[in-house]
Amino acid sequence: MSERIGIYPGTFDPITLGHADIIRRGSKLVDRLIIGVTTNPSKNPMFTFEERCEMVRAEVDRLEIDHVEIVGFNALLMKFARKQGANVIIRGLRAVADFEYEYQMAGMNQQIDDEIETVFLMADVSLQPIASKLVKEIALFGGDISPFVSADVRDQVVARVEKIGRLGDY
């Protein structure tokens, strides 16, 4: 049997405890898991591409999983997956809205390359509400994000918010 190589793609801006849960669980399904940190033109990231790659690398090191690597990419996911020799795309689902979007993406990806399967992992129940976008919003309004991210990521987000300025005074 050939090596099972999985790709878990995302912008990870910032990486959350939900992402870490999918990485931990997804790594059990494959021989090698590549975390594909990507740029996304439709998003306005708080952190640079390099900062996000380093943040993900630090979180993966904290998980102590030896067959996970971080690779940045700026290409069509299926082309990136093919270049990496992947045969599985791993995606995390939080809610029905995620499923609708991911289902459509999986269908499009299958049209591009039907040899690469998409596997959906449901987020742990306690982590389902976590979204990077909401973490940033909470931080920008001065809220506590420690239930949603690791202490290191929290410190980086708080430092960035201090640099760019908080929103609101309530």
Side-chain angles (χ1 to χ4, degrees):
M1 186 171 166
S2 64
E3 183 180 39
R4 291 172 312 200
I5 300 172
I7 304 275
Y8 177 38
T11 51
F12 305 102
D13 184 49
I15 186 169
T16 68
L17 296 178
H19 291 129
D21 178 58
I22 298 298
I23 291 167
R24 181 184 54 76
R25 292 172 41 225
S27 71
K28 295 176 183 177
L29 303 177
V30 294
D31 301 309
R32 193 168 121 225
L33 180 61
I34 298 166
I35 311 302
V37 180
T38 186
T39 57
N40 186 333
S42 68
K43 295 185 178 181
N44 184 18
M46 178 178 275
F47 294 95
T48 67
F49 177 72
E50 293 77 15
E51 289 169 331
R52 289 182 286 118
C53 286
E54 186 50 44
M55 201 180 296
V56 171
R57 188 169 286 109
E59 291 301 296
V60 168
D61 287 349
R62 188 177 59 78
L63 293 172
E64 298 180 348
I65 305 169
D66 61 358
H67 62 284
V68 175
E69 62 185 278
I70 292 80
V71 178
F73 76 103
N74 183 17
L76 189 63
L77 173 59
M78 298 312 276
K79 285 185 178 182
F80 173 69
R82 205 175 300 130
K83 183 177 178 184
Q84 298 299 317
N87 40 27
V88 176
I89 304 295
I90 295 175
R91 299 297 294 160
L93 296 176
R94 295 175 302 221
V96 173
D98 281 352
F99 178 78
E100 291 175 9
Y101 172 77
E102 293 295 345
Y103 181 80
Q104 184 178 21
M105 289 300 298
M108 294 294 287
N109 287 340
Q110 187 179 35
Q111 294 293 315
I112 295 168
D113 190 331
D114 64 359
E115 305 233 342
I116 301 174
E117 293 292 336
T118 299
V119 174
F120 299 113
L121 294 177
M122 292 300 298
D124 181 274
V125 173
S126 67
L127 304 173
Q128 284 181 2
I130 301 173
S132 294
K133 179 181 176 182
L134 297 177
V135 168
K136 291 185 288 191
E137 191 173 313
I138 291 166
L140 284 166
F141 280 98
D144 179 19
I145 60 170
S146 36
F148 316 118
V149 296
S150 70
D152 288 343
V153 171
R154 180 201 62 223
D155 293 346
Q156 292 177 64
V157 172
V158 167
R160 183 57 47 92
V161 168
E162 287 175 4
K163 183 177 177 182
I164 62 177
R166 280 186 18 194
L167 302 174
D169 292 330
Y170 295 99

